[in-house]
Amino acid sequence: MTLADLLFSPQGTTELDLKSFDCGRESVNKFFREEAQDYQDELFGKTYYWVHRDRPTEVVAGFTVANASIFTKRLPNARQKKIGFEVHHEKGLINYPSILLAQLGVDVKYKGLHLGPQIIDFVMQWFTSPDNKSGCRHLIVDAYDEPHLLDFYQRNGLNLFFSSLEQEMQYRNWDIEKDGPLETRLMFRDMILLRRPSIRK
């Protein structure tokens, strides 16, 4: 099965059986079932689903995207160079416009069909297409800090912003006493390489 075998359904356009959707992580299930519409109504992000072609209320997979930025001035020099490695701009930029893949879930019944990598590729192609309405340089995910998930995103071309939690907490102004443990890690991919070869030798 590929995404081409499924129907694309933006949030709120059709009735979907989200109560039966289960990606194996309750926080993501809860978002799609209870929060996605409010999130969209408040203009925080937009959610999209793929549904079964023969059972169009059955959700196979879903994702949410939102605008984001990478604030370069808050990055150490080494990280600025890493994230801006392919940036061809004389003075650099204060921030890099990005798209945040805020939620991603595939129903457990369809695990093993490599739909997750297809969705990541779809999002990148979508936001680098000629008819995209705004600039969007990087794909960002805020991945749960679990080895199998970090490995999944790394296998799909994303890299960690920081090599340590301490660096990441400093970038985020994270206070463990107030905010609790940091359970996610920021990851990125420079999407310019979908449109041109590397400018670096």
Side-chain angles (χ1 to χ4, degrees):
M1 177 182 285
T2 69
L3 295 181
D5 300 317
L6 305 170
L7 297 175
F8 191 59
S9 180
Q11 172 76 31
T13 57
T14 57
E15 289 293 326
L16 300 176
D17 182 15
L18 287 164
K19 290 183 179 179
S20 298
F21 177 79
D22 180 12
C23 70
R25 186 176 291 275
E26 190 53 36
S27 61
V28 178
N29 294 339
K30 183 176 184 291
F31 178 85
F32 288 144
R33 293 171 188 164
E34 302 176 17
E35 301 167 13
Q37 188 61 56
D38 287 342
Y39 194 77
Q40 185 160 297
D41 290 343
E42 292 296 319
L43 304 181
F44 290 133
K46 298 197 73 172
T47 297
Y48 304 88
Y49 304 100
W50 274 277
V51 300
H52 199 285
R53 191 172 292 274
D54 297 328
R55 300 183 295 278
T57 62
E58 180 183 331
V59 176
V60 175
F63 71 94
T64 302
V65 286
N67 293 331
S69 291
I70 299 174
F71 295 98
T72 60
K73 297 301 183 183
R74 291 175 56 190
L75 294 171
N77 286 339
R79 293 296 158 180
Q80 288 186 34
K81 291 177 181 178
K82 179 179 178 182
I83 292 172
F85 188 72
E86 294 290 343
V87 173
H88 183 58
H89 193 279
E90 190 172 295
K91 295 184 178 179
L93 299 171
I94 293 174
N95 61 66
Y96 298 139
S98 307
I99 189 71
L100 172 68
L101 183 57
Q103 301 287 344
L104 172 62
V106 177
D107 193 285
V108 293
K109 297 190 296 295
Y110 299 94
K111 296 288 188 183
L113 298 177
H114 306 291
L115 294 176
Q118 292 178 57
I119 293 171
I120 293 172
D121 185 64
F122 174 89
V123 170
M124 291 193 299
Q125 295 292 341
W126 207 14
F127 284 94
T128 56
S129 66
D131 60 351
N132 186 30
K133 299 300 187 293
S134 68
C136 183
R137 179 59 185 255
H138 291 84
L139 174 70
I140 300 174
V141 298
D142 197 11
Y144 285 102
D145 190 12
E146 299 171 7
H148 72 285
L149 285 175
L150 299 182
D151 179 65
F152 165 76
Y153 285 114
Q154 287 173 326
R155 284 187 282 109
N156 285 280
L158 287 103
N159 297 295
L160 288 165
F161 270 57
F162 302 102
S163 57
S164 72
L165 277 173
E166 290 74 19
Q167 291 174 321
E168 185 147 345
M169 286 190 292
Q170 185 176 1
Y171 175 76
R172 296 190 187 207
N173 292 321
W174 195 271
D175 185 334
I176 290 181
E177 292 187 3
K178 181 179 68 176
D179 303 318
L182 181 59
E183 298 179 346
T184 61
R185 301 294 302 276
L186 287 168
M187 305 183 75
F188 75 97
R189 180 172 176 178
D190 192 337
M191 298 191 295
I192 196 67
L193 297 180
L194 297 175
R195 302 187 67 174
R196 64 155 170 78
S198 173
I199 61 174
R200 307 298 180 184
K201 301 294 185 183

